[in-house]
Amino acid sequence: METYQQAFIELLVRHEVLRFGEFTLKSGRRSPYFVNAGQFRTGAAISGLGRAYAACMRRAGLACDLVFGPSYKGVPLAVATVIALAEQGEDTPFCFDRKEKKEHGEGGWFVGTTPQDGMRVIIVDDVITSGKSIHESIDLLRRTADVQIAGVVVAVDRQERGTGTRTTLAELRDDLGVPVQSIVTIREVATHLHGRTIAGQQLVDDTRFAAIAAHLAEYGPRD
């Protein structure tokens, strides 16, 4: 793994974004871990988060004119990412959507820079489970302007299969015809944390490592 990926995993642990136990996901599946980006609640946490997204974009060679974060959890992701990009000399606009269209004042669906024709847009989100929120975001962006979706970046790829035999991320990549990147995968997370003590905690012992492997064996890709 790259240095930024290792730092990101440790950031997930220190701010309890990544938790282990028994969780029921929106999809109804039971999972031995859960990722909650809402736990990034301090300046240092958000700063580290933005650097990880920006590093992932650089590594993947993703250039853009606008960073979009789906409300609500995508809002701080977009802001943190463009701050990190600005620190590297790239002053990139951002925006996020309102849950309801504003009919007064400046109006519209967006806060920040409104998408314009020809813009290359990167969508940032926390995790991909079904891909539904990404499709909804793209529909909204394309109803607003003739934009180019330059890529999608998420924090953690759960590596679970979608409607077919491949992972949701792989299906989404082919469906959209655009790069879909994750900062880390759950296998990378489990491998990095297995037997390691961070902030006085050993979160992934042999039992938890086996539970994650079993989960992936049941819900992971079949090809």
Side-chain angles (χ1 to χ4, degrees), residues 64-82:
C64 71
D65 306 302
L66 182 68
V67 175
F68 172 78
S71 292
Y72 290 105
K73 288 184 179 179
V75 174
L77 304 184
V79 174
T81 299
V82 296

Side-chain angles (χ1 to χ4, degrees), residues 10-69:
E10 295 178 18
L11 188 74
L12 295 176
V13 171
R14 287 194 170 90
H15 293 278
E16 298 183 333
V17 175
L18 178 64
R19 298 184 181 184
F20 298 93
E22 289 293 328
F23 303 93
T24 301
L25 306 178
K26 186 183 295 185
S27 63
R29 292 175 180 172
R30 298 286 291 172
S31 173
Y33 70 93
F34 186 70
V35 179
N36 179 13
Q39 288 293 115
F40 286 114
R41 297 182 293 189
T42 71
I46 289 294
S47 178
L49 179 68
R51 288 194 298 271
Y53 274 87
C56 183
M57 289 171 59
R58 288 199 310 274
R59 184 187 184 193
L62 300 180
C64 71
D65 306 302
L66 182 68
V67 175
F68 172 78

Side-chain angles (χ1 to χ4, degrees), residues 5 19 47 83 95 146 148 183-184 187 195-196 213 219:
Q5 293 176 298
R19 298 184 181 184
S47 178
I83 290 174
C95 72
D146 183 17
Q148 173 191 345
I183 299 173
V184 291
R187 289 188 190 276
R196 188 186 301 266
Y219 295 115

Side-chain angles (χ1 to χ4, degrees), residues 6 42 47 53 65 110 113 125 142 154 159 171 195 204 215 217:
Q6 297 177 23
T42 71
S47 178
Y53 274 87
D65 306 302
F110 297 95
T113 299
D125 209 345
R142 286 177 171 165
V154 299
Q159 297 183 290
E171 289 181 351
V204 181
H215 182 78

Side-chain angles (χ1 to χ4, degrees), residues 25-192:
L25 306 178
K26 186 183 295 185
S27 63
R29 292 175 180 172
R30 298 286 291 172
S31 173
Y33 70 93
F34 186 70
V35 179
N36 179 13
Q39 288 293 115
F40 286 114
R41 297 182 293 189
T42 71
I46 289 294
S47 178
L49 179 68
R51 288 194 298 271
Y53 274 87
C56 183
M57 289 171 59
R58 288 199 310 274
R59 184 187 184 193
L62 300 180
C64 71
D65 306 302
L66 182 68
V67 175
F68 172 78
S71 292
Y72 290 105
K73 288 184 179 179
V75 174
L77 304 184
V79 174
T81 299
V82 296
I83 290 174
L85 291 172
E87 290 173 346
Q88 298 156 15
E90 301 176 34
D91 190 15
T92 307
F94 76 94
C95 72
F96 55 90
D97 58 315
R98 295 182 170 98
K99 287 300 183 181
E100 295 183 0
K101 186 176 181 181
K102 187 176 181 181
E103 301 293 350
H104 61 280
E106 75 279 15
W109 283 105
F110 297 95
V111 178
T113 299
T114 301
Q116 303 293 325
D117 290 351
M119 276 187 168
R120 298 167 297 174
V121 182
I122 296 290
I123 299 172
V124 292
D125 209 345
D126 53 357
V127 296
I128 289 179
T129 301
S130 69
K132 180 180 177 182
S133 65
I134 299 298
H135 279 286
E136 291 174 346
S137 295
I138 291 174
D139 288 344
L140 175 60
L141 289 163
R142 286 177 171 165
R143 287 200 308 269
T144 303
D146 183 17
V147 299
Q148 173 191 345
I149 306 302
V152 177
V153 181
V154 299
V156 180
D157 177 7
R158 296 185 58 91
Q159 297 183 290
E160 295 180 17
R161 64 180 179 275
T163 57
T165 60
R166 296 174 301 152
T167 65
T168 298
L169 189 145
E171 289 181 351
L172 188 64
R173 182 186 294 127
D174 290 347
D175 188 25
L176 299 178
V178 303
V180 181
Q181 304 289 333
S182 65
I183 299 173
V184 291
T185 67
I186 190 57
R187 289 188 190 276
E188 289 171 333
V189 170
T191 300
H192 182 72

